């Protein structure tokens, strides 16, 4: 676990995670009050949950992936990975320990977001409250299935390229899968181009993991079949990205 501790200590020494944690504490409580919530006070709590999850997505795609790329690049450039290889720590364990260090620090932001959404925006009705809690934990699982494989990819690419390139590739995949794919869907509605259909079919549909709309409109938790189907689909993408990350990971300078 030495590489894990080294990665974690490096992250904490930069202190940027504490800035994101502070922003997570403030933004969901502040921003909803900047809207005309007085006209419909019932929307204040869903807006609070929406802000918390939106900032969590932002933090995951910006801070988390950048940390993975930076650590992967720095450890490789400094010869640390080559040293740990001589101690018997293989590429798979190295990659997961670096990623685990990033995730441990990021858990601070995730726990704050989940707490704000669950406890700071919970409906008063007991039945709605039950489904609200379930929905938030479903959201966290799907969020994890999207961000962790992208983090592994950023760590792996960091051992081969500079940190900017190693960050931008998984970041672009994430943004495309969450936002870009919806625009491609609109384009497909007005066209019948086989090539575009093929691109759409093989694209990562990360937008399925975004349950913000269900939170805002209090649509309740996903049914077990729906949640299972989305999870299995995201796990499939995760396996592809994780396998690619293992193949690209490089210990030697």
């Amino acid at each position: 676990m030495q590489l894990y501790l080294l990665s974690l200590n490096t992250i904490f020494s930069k202190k940027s995670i504490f800035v994101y944690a502070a922003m997570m504490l403030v933004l969901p409580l502040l921003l909803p009050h900047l809207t005309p919530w007085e006209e419909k006070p019932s929307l204040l709590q869903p807006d609070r949950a929406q802000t918390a999850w939106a900032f969590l997505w932002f933090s995951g795609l910006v801070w988390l992936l950048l940390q993975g790329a930076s650590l992967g690049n720095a450890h490789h450039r400094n010869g640390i990975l080559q040293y740990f290889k001589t101690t018997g720590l293989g590429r798979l364990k190295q990659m997961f320990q670096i990623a685990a260090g990033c995730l441990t620090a990021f858990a601070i932001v995730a726990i704050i977001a989940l707490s704000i959404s669950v406890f700071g925006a919970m409906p008063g009705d007991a039945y709605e409250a039950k489904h609200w809690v379930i929905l938030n934990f479903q959201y966290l699982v799907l969020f994890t299935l999207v961000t962790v494989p992208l983090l592994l990819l950023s760590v792996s690419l960091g051992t081969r390229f500079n940190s900017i390139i190693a960050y931008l590739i998984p970041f672009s995949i994430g943004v495309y899968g969450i936002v870009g794919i919806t625009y491609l869907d609109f384009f497909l509605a007005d066209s019948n181009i086989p090539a575009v259909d093929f691109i759409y079919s093989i694209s990562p549909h990360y937008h399925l993991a975004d349950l913000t709309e269900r939170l805002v409109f209090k649509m309740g938790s996903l049914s077990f079949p729906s949640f299972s189907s989305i999870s299995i689909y995201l796990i499939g993408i995760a396996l592809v990205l994780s396998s690619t990350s293992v193949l690209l990971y490089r210990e030697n300078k």
Side-chain angles (χ1 to χ4, degrees):
M1 299 296 288
Q2 288 182 323
L3 184 56
Y4 161 74
L5 294 174
L6 175 63
S7 301
L8 186 60
N9 289 333
T10 302
I11 291 173
F12 282 144
S13 67
K14 297 177 181 177
K15 297 183 175 61
S16 61
I17 186 60
F18 299 112
V19 175
Y20 278 81
M23 292 175 67
M24 179 60 80
L25 282 170
V26 173
L27 293 180
L29 301 178
L30 177 63
L31 292 185
H33 286 278
L34 300 180
T35 63
W37 63 274
E38 297 91 344
E39 299 177 5
K40 199 169 184 181
S42 61
L43 294 178
L44 184 61
Q45 290 182 329
D47 285 347
R48 190 176 295 150
Q50 180 183 15
T51 305
W53 279 105
F55 188 70
L56 187 63
W57 276 111
F58 174 82
S59 303
L61 293 176
V62 175
W63 184 88
L64 185 62
L65 299 186
L66 185 57
Q67 293 303 310
S70 298
L71 284 175
N73 180 260
H75 288 343
H76 178 265
R77 190 176 63 251
N78 296 334
I80 293 174
L81 303 182
Q82 189 170 355
Y83 163 74
F84 277 106
K85 181 182 179 181
T86 62
T87 65
L89 193 66
R91 64 169 66 182
L92 186 62
K93 290 183 178 180
Q94 286 188 17
M95 184 176 67
F96 275 100
Q97 285 195 26
I98 296 172
C102 297
L103 290 171
T104 301
F106 185 71
I108 299 172
V109 179
I111 290 172
I112 295 174
L114 187 64
S115 300
I116 290 175
S117 184
V118 171
F119 300 110
M122 187 181 293
D125 181 77
Y127 179 79
E128 289 185 359
K130 174 184 175 182
H131 281 275
W132 181 265
V133 173
I134 294 173
L135 177 60
N136 273 276
F137 278 97
Q138 288 178 335
Y139 203 163
L140 183 62
V141 170
L142 299 181
F143 173 84
T144 303
L145 289 176
V146 170
T147 53
V148 171
L150 292 175
L151 171 61
L152 293 174
L153 183 61
S154 70
V155 172
S156 179
L157 291 174
T159 65
R160 288 192 172 269
F161 307 104
N162 65 60
S163 56
I164 299 301
I165 295 176
Y167 163 70
L168 287 177
I169 292 176
F171 172 79
S172 300
I173 294 174
V175 172
Y176 169 69
I178 297 170
V179 180
I181 196 72
T182 58
Y183 291 96
L184 186 59
D185 193 17
F186 291 144
F187 178 77
L188 282 173
D190 299 323
S191 67
N192 293 311
I193 304 176
V196 178
D197 286 333
F198 176 72
I199 293 174
Y200 181 80
S201 63
I202 64 172
S203 296
H205 291 255
Y206 287 147
H207 61 95
L208 297 174
D210 185 3
L211 305 182
T212 306
E213 185 177 350
R214 300 189 71 88
L215 289 172
V216 173
F217 296 102
K218 297 183 179 180
M219 299 168 63
S221 58
L222 290 169
S223 65
F224 181 75
S226 297
F227 178 69
S228 299
S229 298
I230 296 174
S231 298
I232 291 171
Y233 171 75
L234 293 177
I235 288 172
I237 298 177
L239 290 174
V240 172
L241 286 179
S242 300
S243 300
T244 303
S245 300
V246 174
L247 292 175
L248 291 175
Y249 191 88
R250 185 175 61 174
E251 309 103 313
N252 298 327
K253 294 186 67 175

